[in-house]
Amino acid sequence: MTTIDPLPPLRDVIERHELSARKSLGQNFLLDLNLTAKIARQAGDLSQCDVLEIGPGPGGLTRGLLSEGARKVLAIEKDARCLPALDEIAQAYPNRLHVIEGDALGIDPLAHLTPPIRVASNLPYNVGTELLIRWLTPKQWPPYWQSLTLMFQREVAQRIVAEPGSKAYGRLALLAQWRCDARIVINLPPEAFSPPPKVSSAVVHLTALSEPRFPADFKTLERLVATAFNQRRKMLRSSLKSVSPDIEDHLRAAGLKSTERAEQIPLEGFCALAREVAKS
């Protein structure tokens, strides 16, 4: 196996620092540094970018990002046990790795990053979806990041790229595809991790669009999507009746059938409906 930098193999680092993965933190460590470098390459040319990484753990992906030329990596890590291992990486890559100990949900990364910014993370399973929704729903668009290269459980990844009519199609697909181009770029089996999770994983790459794919008021669209998929088996006239007393008129004006179900409606249809509801 080739090496990506002069630092020790990740398995040795984990053993030396006694970094057993903790289920409570959603940790599953990638040990193959060639694989972490491959994931880093999915984020594109990083030489002119700052990169935000959430949950670096012992630093496998961190090393991949730095070896692939990231201008700077901001790594936010909640587990204090991992800090000595990350400090060793910082010493090997002077002035290019900044580590913050804390909860990513409560830290403003913009205070520590300079645009252009990309996000690349093997996200902890227990906060991955929440972080993604935060990145997809800022108050202003375009967001501060150019792209997101994120690892999820494969089921979550499939929900992000799902098409209308599929079982995976829902709120996550609509929010992601309204403002981004999204695609799965790598699939990983459980044995790629230590300890192996019970499910397969996948890396999703999302590129921010300069403006949403179709015009719509965000709050109205989000409410419609959340309400419709909360009762996805019902017809739209039933699942959306709490949104507006005139929902059937709005559906007709948007070119939708009141007898259709949410999983049948493409993104463009939901955006058209959001525009009609916003008028009332």
Side-chain angles (χ1 to χ4, degrees), residues 251-266:
L251 288 164
R252 192 177 305 109
L256 301 176
K257 297 178 181 178
S258 62
T259 54
E260 290 182 299
R261 297 188 303 274
E263 63 188 32
Q264 299 172 285
I265 307 303

Side-chain angles (χ1 to χ4, degrees), residues 18-197:
E18 299 180 347
L19 296 176
S20 58
R22 289 182 175 173
K23 187 175 181 180
S24 62
L25 296 175
Q27 291 175 331
N28 295 92
F29 300 148
L30 276 172
L31 301 184
D32 186 340
L33 291 171
N34 294 297
L35 180 55
T36 63
K38 180 180 179 181
I39 294 170
R41 287 194 290 273
Q42 303 306 311
D45 182 2
L46 302 176
S47 60
Q48 303 300 317
C49 297
D50 282 7
V51 180
L52 171 63
E53 182 187 8
I54 306 299
L61 181 56
T62 313
R63 289 166 64 174
L65 293 166
L66 291 165
S67 70
E68 289 298 318
R71 181 176 66 188
K72 173 185 175 181
V73 174
L74 171 65
I76 301 177
E77 177 55 60
K78 190 175 183 179
D79 187 354
R81 299 177 307 147
C82 296
L83 299 183
L86 294 170
D87 184 60
E88 292 173 2
I89 301 172
Q91 293 180 43
Y93 292 93
N95 303 314
R96 292 177 59 201
L97 174 61
H98 179 44
V99 181
I100 297 178
E101 179 186 0
D103 187 340
L105 296 173
I107 293 173
D108 178 12
L110 285 178
H112 309 277
L113 294 169
T114 302
I117 298 166
R118 299 185 185 182
V119 180
S121 295
N122 172 11
L123 291 174
Y125 283 167
N126 54 358
V127 295
T129 302
E130 182 175 356
L131 283 167
L132 174 61
I133 290 174
R134 286 193 180 198
W135 286 323
L136 292 174
T137 57
K139 292 181 179 179
Q140 295 183 331
W141 195 270
Y144 69 81
W145 48 268
Q146 291 183 333
S147 67
L148 308 171
T149 306
L150 307 172
M151 188 182 302
F152 297 97
Q153 295 181 41
R154 181 161 172 76
E155 179 185 352
V156 176
Q158 290 172 330
R159 287 165 51 200
I160 295 169
V161 302
E163 297 181 354
S166 66
K167 292 182 179 180
Y169 184 66
R171 177 173 177 253
L172 205 54
L174 286 156
L175 289 179
Q177 295 172 36
W178 183 46
R179 286 172 159 173
C180 301
D181 285 326
R183 58 194 176 94
I184 293 176
V185 292
I186 300 177
N187 290 296
L188 297 101
E191 53 267 26
F193 299 85
S194 178

Side-chain angles (χ1 to χ4, degrees), residues 200-259:
S200 296
S201 301
V203 177
V204 182
H205 183 74
L206 301 100
T207 304
L209 300 174
S210 58
E211 57 184 34
R213 191 162 264 113
F214 303 106
D217 174 71
F218 168 69
K219 289 185 177 180
T220 305
L221 178 63
E222 187 175 38
R223 183 186 175 199
L224 279 172
V225 171
T227 304
F229 283 96
N230 188 46
Q231 303 180 75
R232 61 186 300 150
R233 293 185 179 181
K234 290 188 175 182
M235 293 182 288
L236 290 176
R237 66 186 180 198
S238 299
S239 63
L240 294 176
K241 62 183 179 181
S242 64
V243 172
S244 169
D246 302 317
I247 192 60
E248 291 204 53
D249 292 338
H250 296 320
L251 288 164
R252 192 177 305 109
L256 301 176
K257 297 178 181 178
S258 62
T259 54

